[in-house]
Amino acid sequence: MNVIQTVERAPHPFLDGAVKRLLIDGKWVEAASGKTFDSINPATGEVLARVAEGDAEDIDRAVAAARRAFQGPWGKVKPYERQLILLKLADLVERHFDELSVLDTLDMGAPISRTSTMRRRVLGMLRYYAGMATALHGETVENSLPGEFFSYTLKEPVGVVGAIIPWNGPLGASVWKIGPALATGCTAILKPAEEAPLTPLRLGELILEAGVPPGVVNIVPGYGETAGAALARHPGVDKVAFTGSHLTGQKIIEASAGNLKRVSLELGGKSPDIVFADADLETAAPGAGMAVFANSGQICSAGTRLFVERRVYDEFVGRVAEFGNGLRVGNGIDPETQIGPLVSEQQLERVTGYLAVGKQEGARALTGGDRLTTGALAQGYFVPPTVFADVRDDMRIAQDEIFGPVVSAIPFEDIDEVISRANATPFGLGSGVWTRDVSKAHRLAKAIRAGSVWVNCYQAMDPAMPFGGYKMSGYGRESGLQHLEEYLNVKAVWIKTA
């Protein structure tokens, strides 16, 4: 395994030593409590910045500001003007993208080789939502009532949106929530993850520069059990858009009951990635590897259950292990790094706990399997790419979402068997199929109970294609036409004309 030990880089301009404050009603303000928390560089354990710690009182202020904006000037802004604002924001993000991608890397650990390649995706989303701002419309409906009735529908913004995002891709996650809110005419309170709040706050500066009016977008960092919980249960919030664990998603559903607010949830996964013997194994091995190892496995749709047809099982799993062993592990700020640290000490403890459980249950680590503690890596939260062989379906590493760079490789005999076993999970977010047989590809695409099926690829994403889950991986969709619908109400209008 290639380990990168030392990195030198100039200070980031956003990390100027000042406490990072909350964005409420167009102003940067301290938390009502005066509390702050540290944002930590997971590669070094060093403090990057102190951040104002929002809680229920700050959420109250933000919701009030969002409501005033929604019922006031923002409610009168035309689609064309919303489009211009989104396009200006996209231009600003493009101008500052290198700075934003470095901030993502410093705050949550993803390699700069990964965050810098998100330019097309992030800008594509902003410009897609800008295009959709002027394309939202109702329809006339030919009704069958006797007499003369004219009937049509209106699409109207749902109102104040509470957006709660995870730490595994702060810039992209922020845009994924704020973009559709602005396009549809909603207002938003964004609650970033406490592990990685810095990029959303820097994005907030660009949002103001783009001309977004006060109160339309508010950003309140804080902890999930305080700020996040307050946002989910707030009676002044009309919708919650959440990405994160299924356990937190269940709590948000319970909290939403007070005013029956709309909820969309993109939750966890334990996605099957299925490799047939007829696949192009040379292409499939790195594809299946990066389906898990990318972002150190901290992707909800990662293909962590690797099903391999038995007659090529040993060969193929060996290839994946060899590929993982050859990846460069180190501080994400180094452009040569391919695998960065896990986001936090808590996540490190979770992942290393599963490494121990896998060994105890009889799985065999072909590569990785232990935390990296050599040299400069000892201060960070590093786990190398790990491939477990001899995995059974009933093992915890095959059932639980680990959220680390850990593959559970499982053999199968035939297509009917693997369909059944692939679906034997409470989750249904992503899935992969590797085969040269088009009939197998179509059959699996229909049979797998998951929101995305990738054939001879993995994690392909586009702003025009919907993404979301089945079962306990949530409901609602992000990206695509369906995403905008999540932020709209449909009103029926009847006019008797005679």
Side-chain angles (χ1 to χ4, degrees):
M1 182 172 304
N2 299 314
V3 175
I4 298 173
Q5 294 284 3
T6 59
V7 178
E8 297 291 338
R9 191 178 181 93
H12 192 283
F14 190 64
L15 306 179
D16 55 6
V19 173
K20 304 305 173 186
R21 294 177 291 176
L22 319 176
L23 176 59
I24 297 178
D25 205 14
K27 302 180 180 66
W28 294 102
V29 298
E30 296 179 357
S33 66
K35 292 181 180 179
T36 62
F37 64 94
D38 291 339
S39 192
I40 304 294
N41 184 335
T44 64
E46 297 172 344
V47 175
L48 291 168
R50 294 190 66 76
V51 180
E53 181 188 328
D55 60 19
E57 185 174 348
D58 303 296
I59 293 296
D60 285 341
R61 291 192 290 164
V63 171
R67 180 62 61 188
R68 285 194 300 270
F70 180 70
Q71 295 176 341
W74 184 245
K76 300 178 176 63
V77 172
K78 297 295 185 181
Y80 173 74
E81 296 166 303
R82 298 200 302 270
Q83 182 181 70
L84 288 182
I85 287 174
L86 276 162
L87 289 173
K88 185 173 182 181
L89 178 58
D91 290 343
L92 287 167
V93 169
E94 184 170 29
R95 188 182 310 159
H96 296 277
F97 189 83
D98 291 343
E99 170 199 339
L100 292 166
S101 64
V102 170
L103 200 54
D104 258 12
T105 291
L106 291 172
D107 209 16
M108 63 78 51
I112 193 69
S113 59
R114 172 181 171 82
T115 60
S116 62
T117 62
M118 292 294 161
R119 180 188 300 264
R120 181 185 180 97
R121 173 162 172 72
V122 170
L123 297 176
M125 286 194 294
L126 282 169
R127 289 171 176 146
Y128 176 82
Y129 298 129
M132 291 303 300
T134 58
L136 304 172
H137 54 79
E139 57 188 355
T140 58
V141 179
E142 186 72 17
N143 67 78
S144 298
L145 282 183
E148 299 296 325
F149 290 91
F150 177 62
S151 52
Y152 64 95
T153 62
L154 295 173
K155 296 285 182 71
E156 298 181 333
V158 71
V160 175
V161 176
I164 304 174
I165 63 171
W167 41 258
N168 60 336
L171 178 58
S174 297
V175 167
W176 230 0
K177 297 292 190 286
I178 292 170
L182 293 177
T184 55
C186 294
T187 57
I189 301 96
L190 178 70
K191 208 296 282 183
E194 58 269 26
E195 294 89 346
L198 298 181
T199 310
L201 291 171
R202 177 65 181 114
L203 181 64
E205 294 180 345
L206 300 181
I207 285 169
L208 296 182
E209 189 176 344
V212 175
V216 174
V217 175
N218 307 272
I219 303 176
V220 183
Y223 291 95
E225 59 269 24
T226 52
L231 189 58
R233 67 172 178 263
H234 202 290
V237 172
D238 300 301
K239 168 189 168 59
V240 171
F242 172 74
T243 300
S245 77
H246 72 285
L247 296 173
T248 303
Q250 290 170 324
K251 293 178 182 178
I252 285 174
I253 293 171
E254 293 173 1
S256 73
N259 64 337
L260 293 178
K261 56 174 63 68
R262 291 265 293 275
V263 177
S264 56
L265 303 169
E266 194 262 280
L267 307 178
K270 194 66 181 177
S271 300
D273 198 11
I274 301 167
V275 180
F276 287 94
D278 63 16
D280 179 349
L281 301 186
E282 186 173 346
T283 300
M290 291 310 288
V292 183
F293 303 145
N295 210 31
S296 295
Q298 298 169 131
I299 299 176
C300 47
S301 53
T304 51
R305 289 187 299 147
L306 180 60
F307 289 96
V308 183
E309 194 166 358
R310 187 176 294 279
R311 59 194 170 101
V312 294
Y313 177 84
D314 290 335
E315 175 193 353
F316 185 79
V317 176
R319 286 188 185 216
V320 175
E322 182 180 5
F323 171 78
N325 192 53
L327 295 173
R328 298 183 181 94
V329 180
N331 191 321
I333 209 65
D334 190 308
E336 297 298 315
T337 292
Q338 295 168 292
I339 303 294
L342 298 170
V343 72
S344 65
E345 187 172 8
Q346 181 182 15
Q347 189 64 16
L348 175 70
E349 292 174 356
R350 174 182 174 83
V351 173
T352 53
Y354 275 107
L355 297 180
V357 166
K359 296 171 187 175
Q360 291 166 6
E361 292 183 330
R364 179 167 50 97
L366 298 182
T367 188
D370 295 288
R371 176 186 180 183
L372 295 176
T373 57
T374 58
L377 301 191
Q379 303 304 313
Y381 313 131
F382 292 92
V383 168
T386 297
V387 177
F388 276 119
D390 305 332
V391 177
R392 302 185 311 273
D393 290 337
D394 62 349
M395 289 182 176
R396 285 184 60 194
I397 58 171
Q399 290 294 319
D400 297 353
E401 185 180 35
I402 298 173
F403 228 57
V406 183
V407 175
S408 295
I410 309 167
F412 72 91
E413 300 290 349
D414 59 54
I415 190 169
D416 292 317
E417 171 203 337
V418 79
I419 288 172
S420 176
R421 294 169 70 190
N423 287 332
T425 172
F427 300 108
L429 190 55
S431 60
V433 178
W434 302 84
T435 179
R436 288 187 173 99
D437 186 333
V438 68
S439 63
K440 283 181 185 174
H442 282 294
R443 183 177 174 190
L444 269 292
K446 187 172 182 179
I448 294 174
R449 299 283 294 166
S452 293
V453 181
W454 292 288
V455 179
N456 295 328
C457 60
Y458 208 91
Q459 299 290 13
M461 304 281 278
D462 186 86
M465 281 291 284
F467 179 81
Y470 285 28
K471 301 185 281 187
M472 290 189 73
S473 290
Y475 45 73
R477 291 295 181 266
E478 295 188 296
S479 292
L481 298 174
Q482 296 85 349
H483 196 180
L484 282 299
E485 296 292 340
E486 299 286 345
Y487 289 74
L488 294 168
N489 281 323
V490 180
K491 178 182 287 182
V493 180
W494 293 83
I495 301 176
K496 187 171 184 179
T497 59

